[in-house]
Amino acid sequence: MDNFIFNARTKIYFGKGQVDNLPDILNEFGKNVLLVYGGSSIKKNGIYNQITERLSEFSVCELSGVEPNPKIESVRAGAELAKKKNVDVVLAVGGGSVIDCAKSIAAGYYYDGDPWDFVKDSSLIGDVLPVVAVLTIAATGSEMNKNSVISNMASNEKLCTSSLKFIPRAAILDPTYTYTVPAYHTAAGVADIMSHVFENYFKSDMTAGVQDGFSEAILKTCIKYAKKAIDTPDDYEARANLMWASTMALNGLCGAGKSGSFSCHPMEHELSAFYDITHGVGLAILTPRWFRYILSENTVDLFYRYAVNVWGICDEDKFAAADKAIDATYAFFEGLGIPMNLSKLGIDGNKFEIMAKKACANGLSNAYVPLSENDVVNIFNMCV
Ligand code: NZQ
Ligand code: ZN
């Protein structure tokens, strides 16, 4: 296990009715609040009213309409508004897109130039306003992590910028807020959670017992509850388990002491950057193909452990077990209703070379199994 720093900075308020704590949470930071949210979902399901009713003693300005795969234009608009209104704290109510956008807005408040500068180069991030998150979909882990993923469609770039100062100071995790997440996004969220775990579980270091045990528990929890949440959207137990899985999958714990870059995420970010697809759907399509591509004498032990500990596959032959686990992963995503081919999303091979080049520029040579541009094109082709 490598050395690591684990920084658990976010105070989590988990469970029904935790929104009642919102005024106390915000009071720590000041009275001027920038409320950031996405499309119409929080107005339709009543969360918006629950929030604003509790903000009566605050001065609130709003940035609405943050897109899935948040765009740099929203960050620019939010940062400008925050400066104009001299806000003290940014309150993000939504999913990863809204929280990521809020984080970059919080940095943009203190930054004199164009926020796209520090998306491209995180060393330019200076001070950052406090961010508080109210999570409405289980997926990214942004509610407790240091990442902000922002897209620039003009240059077909989707980049992750990071700062410890981005980590939300507090997050309200009320599973009932996810009852209205549609089946498609519930499934995509689960694929994202599982991918965050895979990205760290599939690394050459197999000595991190706590991290890998935690990872297996998160994967089994997703497998157990995903379909339940889709079939019965107001199943509290299912929604609560998925929500906590989301937060734990990418808050630094599962990856602590396990160095090396991610594999599927850099590839998926290119799919989103060029085609604006749903992040978790891209990951669900890529993951079983990537598994298949990297399975070899060198990696089979890790796949065998995954097969036995996560899927309960007992087969004496390690390759046979690995194959069954990869098939099970594919069938699981398909069973959630995820379209499992890029062609179903209208994506053909036209841009695979340029996408592969850009994905490799984001560190794939340092992945569990290093991937060249040619490898990435091959994997994309397996997904068509
Ligand atoms: O915009 P609204 O109307 O709110 O609708 C959203 C959106 O259409 C909807 N939704 C959210 N909560 C809902 C709801 N609909 C009904 N009821 C609710 N309670 O769901 C749709 C997707 O929302 P979004 O925030 O885009 O989903 P997600 O949380 O999956 O975030 C995806 C973004 O996060 C980035 C992704 O690349 C993508 O840009 N990621 C962020 C990471 C991070 N910060 O660490 C890591 C991830 O790997 C990922 O890259
Ligand atoms: Zn992800």
Side-chain angles (χ1 to χ4, degrees), residues 20-189:
D20 288 339
N21 292 298
L22 190 57
D24 285 345
I25 295 170
L26 294 174
N27 265 328
E28 248 188 71
F29 309 113
K31 289 287 180 196
N32 291 329
V33 179
L34 171 59
L35 170 62
V36 180
Y37 56 100
S40 53
S41 76
I42 68 162
K43 292 209 167 152
K44 282 193 199 139
N45 60 22
I47 296 174
Y48 176 84
N49 283 347
Q50 288 196 24
I51 300 285
T52 49
E53 277 164 14
R54 284 159 181 81
L55 294 181
S56 55
E57 61 182 84
F58 294 84
S59 164
V60 182
C61 57
E62 294 187 9
L63 179 82
S64 62
V66 173
E67 322 79 353
N69 300 326
K71 311 296 182 281
I72 187 63
E73 289 80 5
S74 294
V75 176
R76 289 179 184 133
E80 233 170 79
L81 183 60
K83 285 177 185 173
K84 196 168 137 203
K85 300 287 186 180
N86 204 15
V87 306
D88 302 310
V89 51
V90 184
L91 173 62
V93 183
S97 295
V98 168
I99 302 170
D100 284 4
C101 187
K103 290 172 179 175
S104 280
I105 289 171
Y109 175 84
Y110 289 106
Y111 188 73
D112 283 336
D114 179 4
W116 187 245
D117 300 344
F118 64 75
V119 175
K120 291 192 87 146
D121 176 2
S122 58
S123 71
L124 296 175
I125 297 169
D127 277 342
V128 177
L129 284 169
V131 174
V132 171
V134 177
L135 187 66
T136 66
I137 175 173
T140 65
S142 186
E143 61 274 16
M144 198 178 168
N145 74 30
K146 61 187 168 76
N147 306 321
S148 169
V149 181
I150 304 297
S151 294
N152 186 337
M153 298 317 279
S155 54
N156 289 124
E157 286 174 288
K158 179 178 188 178
L159 301 175
C160 179
T161 187
S162 293
S163 164
L164 289 177
K165 295 178 197 163
F166 278 170
I167 300 175
R169 304 296 182 91
I172 293 177
L173 272 54
D174 183 337
T176 67
Y177 282 7
T178 64
Y179 285 174
T180 53
V181 178
Y184 188 77
H185 285 293
T186 301

Side-chain angles (χ1 to χ4, degrees), residues 194-195 197-199 201-202 206 212 215-220 222-223 287-288 290-292 295 299-314 318 321-333 368:
M194 292 176 73
S195 178
V197 173
F198 290 143
E199 298 279 22
Y201 188 79
F202 286 91
M206 286 178 72
D212 292 338
S215 295
E216 288 164 0
I218 292 171
L219 293 171
K220 286 194 279 190
C222 289
I223 292 164
T287 299
W290 169 63
F291 279 170
R292 187 80 61 208
L295 176 60
T299 62
V300 71
D301 285 346
L302 198 35
F303 279 98
Y304 185 64
R305 187 177 76 176
Y306 170 58
V308 174
N309 291 355
V310 175
W311 291 104
I313 293 166
C314 300
K318 287 184 177 178
D323 264 334
K324 284 181 191 166
I326 295 171
D327 287 345
T329 311
Y330 184 99
F332 172 73
F333 290 141
Y368 168 44

Side-chain angles (χ1 to χ4, degrees), residues 139-140 149 191-193 195-196 199 250 262 265 268-269 279-280 283:
T140 65
V149 181
D192 192 24
I193 297 168
S195 178
H196 295 154
E199 298 279 22
L250 197 61
F262 282 14
H265 273 69
E268 194 295 313
H269 281 183
H279 175 63
L283 291 169

